[in-house]
Structures are given as structure tokens and as C-alpha cells.
Amino acid sequence: MKARVFSGIQPTGSPHIGNYLGALKNWAKIQYDYESIYCIVDLHAITLYQDPKELRQKIQELAGMLLAIGIDPAHSSLVVQSAIPAHVELAWMLTCVTPVGWLERMTQYKAKSAAQETIGDGILQYPVLMAADILLYDAKVVPVGDDQTQHVELTRDIAQRFNSLYGETFVMPETRLPSVGARIMGLDEPEKKMSKSVIGSGHAVSLLDPPDLIRKKVLRATTDSNPAVDFDRLGPGVANLLTIFQAFSEWSDARVRQHFAGMRYGELKKQVADVIVAALEPIQKRYHEIMDEATYVARVLEESARRITPIANATVEKAKRAMGLYTPD
Ligand code: TYM
């Protein structure tokens, strides 16, 4: 039997090249080597307020985008988290074995709670729900960007604690980062991770940006006071542009060095924009075709949920038995 892969993405903001290079590209690549489950995590999205109408729409659009980037419903399951209640059931059981101190130490919790006056308990519980997502399917491999590494580590800690309290129940998952592009930085602020939630026209390249907008954003990207690429003194902005190019092109380090050494920033940016446009054009074309087909996305989501719900329910059952909760015999 093939080992299982699980990963998720929130239906908030608009998916960008950081999501693509850090995670989604890998999802499509490894789906044939594993039994893959990819999840639109709407229950995670509501840890911050979402406009209900917009959220519904974004779930559909994100599903269309995941199909457009190459998630193949004949090989992978593509589901919406809230369609499978077992995620929440297992999350509660895991909550009860998770020390609050572990959750308060999470970088994402600290950042989100610092930015809000009052925060919902969901922000604190967020990584427990994520642990439930992963453990529910005995996932061995979790393809994510670098910012999720801490959450996967916590998932292992929670699984270990559960296993030691109640007996071997969960499989230990492992993070799978891409070799290049695990952390794409904002074009305007290369010290900060490219983020879906940052509103700013020059921050992120959305997967649906038209070519002229992509070129404009890349040409405006922050660099430094050097005139040309110097690999001995790479500023964060130039390093980020080179990473973006390399992740899209899949060139080797040596080829990138040889090609870009001494290149003026204007030309570097032009070539980076070209590689992004060339990669996104076919994805955008497929996206529009998919969204024009009235029931295709809904059908994929429903069939996938039907296929994997029994796996999720079996794990909940196993965890309930392990904990001594009521299960009808
Ligand atoms: P989310 O929706 O923030 O991001 C989806 C994926 O994109 C990656 N990513 C990036 N990679 C490189 N550079 C960036 N600037 C960048 N920004 C985002 C993320 O690492 C992620 O892989 N908590 C998760 C969703 C989740 C999940 C899960 C993931 C819920 N349950 C279970 C894996 C397994 C999140 O908010 O991802």
C-alpha cells in the first residue's frame, strides 16, 4: 500500500506564488507516489472573521485553482475540511491531551494574538485542529512551506503524548519541504514572508494576476544599492528574486550562478517576470476552463469526501476506543 500524504490550505485571501512554490507545486508532483489527500481548511479560516458569502466563494475558487495547478482527482482526494465532521471530533480529543503552554509558544499564535485586541480561542487551538487533520489519515508525509514546520513538529508531539497515554494510535508524520522556495518573501518587503493576508499591490504575485500586472510587480520589487547580482553580497530582495526564478525553472545552483552573476537588476527582474508568466499562463487557462464547467468542482469535492470519510471515521473510532469513550459495539 502507498504511504499517505496530507496537506491543507486556507481559503482566505488569494493564493500566491509563495503558496505555489512552497507547497502546491509539490502537492501536484508527489501525488502519483503516494495516496494523497489535499484539504481546503475552512475551519481554520474562521479562526479569524470571514465574510460568509465571500468564504463560500473562496472555497469554490480555491478548489478550482488546486485542480488547475494539477491536482488530479483520479489520483488525489480534494476535500473541504468542514465536509468531514471527524476533523472536529478528533481535534477535541487531541485538545484534551495538549498542554496550553505548547500552544502559547507557537510563532503564529504569538504573531496573530499580538495583532488583535481580543482573540478567539480558535487562534490558540488552531494547531490542534491541524494535528487532527494530519493524524486522522495516518499521513506519513506533509508537504508544506517552511512556516508550517513548527505546526507539524507540534503534531508529532501531540501524537506522541496521546500514544504514550492511551497506547499506539497515531502514525508519526514528517514535514516535506521543497528543496528551493520553502519560504518566499514579499516582493516589497523581502524581510517578511509573502502572505495572503497582506494587502498591498506590490507584496505578492497572485496565481491569477494577469501578465502585465505580474511584470509591474516584479519590476517594482525591492532590491538594494548594488547595481548587479553579486553572489558574495546578496541582499534579501535579490536573493528572493533568484529563489523565485530557480523554484520555477528548476535550474541547478550552478546554472543559476553562472547565468545571473553580474547581471543588472533590471534584466534580472525581466527574466524573473518571464518565468513566472510562462508558468502561470497555462494554470490560469485551465482555471478558467474548470470554473466554466458548472458542476465539475462540486462533483470532485463530493466524491472525494465520500471516498475518505470512512478513513477519518475509522480513526475517530480508534481514538475513542483508546480513550475509553462510548462507542456502540
Ligand atoms: P496556508 O493557507 O497559510 O498556506 C498554504 C501552504 O502554502 C505555504 N506557504 C508558503 N510557502 C512558501 N513561501 C511562502 N511565503 C508561503 N506562504 C504560505 C504554507 O507553508 C502552506 O504549506 N495551517 C496551514 C493549513 C493547514 C495544513 C493542515 C497544512 C491546515 N491543516 C494540515 C498541512 C497539514 C496554513 O494556514 O497554510
Side-chain angles (χ1 to χ4, degrees):
M1 213 175 77
K2 286 182 181 173
R4 216 170 269 143
V5 161
F6 182 95
S7 199
I9 179 168
Q10 294 192 65
T12 50
S14 104
H16 51 66
I17 56 170
N19 299 124
Y20 179 71
L21 298 175
L24 310 183
K25 190 170 174 228
N26 238 349
W27 293 12
K29 200 184 261 172
I30 67 181
Q31 67 184 330
Y32 300 106
D33 301 330
Y34 296 92
E35 184 187 335
S36 314
I37 300 174
Y38 298 124
C39 189
I40 296 174
V41 292
D42 54 349
L43 295 168
H44 278 106
I46 59 166
T47 55
L48 293 174
Y49 176 81
Q50 305 296 327
D51 176 77
K53 242 168 105 181
E54 226 172 80
L55 179 60
R56 262 182 174 271
Q57 169 117 8
K58 284 199 187 295
I59 292 168
Q60 294 296 319
E61 288 171 358
L62 185 54
M65 179 51 78
L66 294 175
L67 293 168
I69 61 139
I71 300 306
D72 176 355
H75 286 270
S76 302
S77 299
L78 177 61
V79 291
V80 182
Q81 191 182 30
S82 64
I84 302 174
H87 287 253
V88 181
E89 284 184 83
L90 186 62
W92 175 252
M93 291 180 242
L94 299 180
T95 293
C96 295
V97 304
T98 306
V100 177
W102 290 5
L103 301 175
E104 285 170 341
R105 276 203 292 277
M106 292 288 111
T107 312
Q108 186 179 294
Y109 169 72
K110 287 198 243 169
K112 283 192 180 166
S113 57
Q116 310 273 321
E117 246 176 58
T118 57
I119 56 155
D121 186 28
I123 299 272
L124 185 65
Q125 301 301 328
Y126 184 109
V128 184
L129 179 58
M130 186 162 157
D133 297 341
I134 296 168
L135 299 178
L136 204 45
Y137 301 101
D138 292 336
K140 233 4 249 152
V141 176
V142 185
V144 283
D146 172 65
D147 62 329
Q148 298 300 320
T149 307
Q150 196 186 32
H151 287 155
V152 182
E153 284 305 312
L154 182 79
T155 301
R156 293 167 61 90
D157 291 342
I158 294 173
Q160 231 139 29
R161 195 170 158 93
F162 189 103
N163 286 352
S164 70
L165 286 171
Y166 297 109
E168 280 305 307
T169 308
F170 297 117
V171 170
M172 286 301 144
E174 273 158 34
T175 306
R176 173 76 60 89
L177 299 178
S179 52
V180 179
R183 190 176 190 82
I184 300 295
M185 311 308 279
L187 294 179
D188 55 347
E189 277 181 296
E191 298 77 20
K192 289 201 180 141
K193 186 189 70 161
M194 186 177 283
S195 157
K196 287 197 221 98
S197 53
V198 175
I199 325 250
S201 57
H203 176 74
V205 173
S206 152
L207 297 182
L208 286 174
D209 280 348
D212 53 339
L213 184 58
I214 295 174
R215 291 183 202 287
K216 204 152 101 190
K217 285 179 177 178
V218 176
L219 289 180
R220 283 203 198 131
T222 302
T223 48
D224 49 52
S225 54
N226 296 340
V229 179
D230 177 352
F231 282 96
D232 295 329
R233 288 189 306 150
L234 276 188
V238 174
N240 190 42
L241 290 172
L242 289 167
T243 299
I244 292 171
F245 184 95
Q246 188 176 9
F248 273 111
S249 67
E250 298 183 2
W251 285 12
S252 66
D253 288 349
R255 186 166 176 200
V256 168
R257 270 183 170 260
Q258 198 195 13
H259 182 80
F260 287 105
M263 188 182 282
R264 300 192 70 83
Y265 290 161
E267 180 58 22
L268 163 71
K269 287 176 169 179
K270 194 183 148 306
Q271 296 198 14
V272 171
D274 284 345
V275 84
I276 301 175
V277 169
L280 295 191
E281 260 182 340
I283 293 177
Q284 296 181 357
K285 188 167 166 276
R286 275 199 300 278
Y287 174 78
H288 293 298
E289 286 164 5
I290 287 166
M291 298 309 277
D292 283 346
E293 259 194 74
T295 59
Y296 179 60
V297 169
R299 251 188 300 130
V300 170
L301 295 176
E302 277 166 34
E303 271 165 29
S304 294
R306 208 172 308 127
R307 185 160 60 220
I308 68 166
T309 294
I311 306 172
N313 287 347
T315 307
V316 165
E317 180 87 11
K318 192 168 158 198
K320 280 170 103 174
R321 279 185 196 280
M323 291 182 109
L325 293 168
Y326 173 74
T327 51
D329 287 317

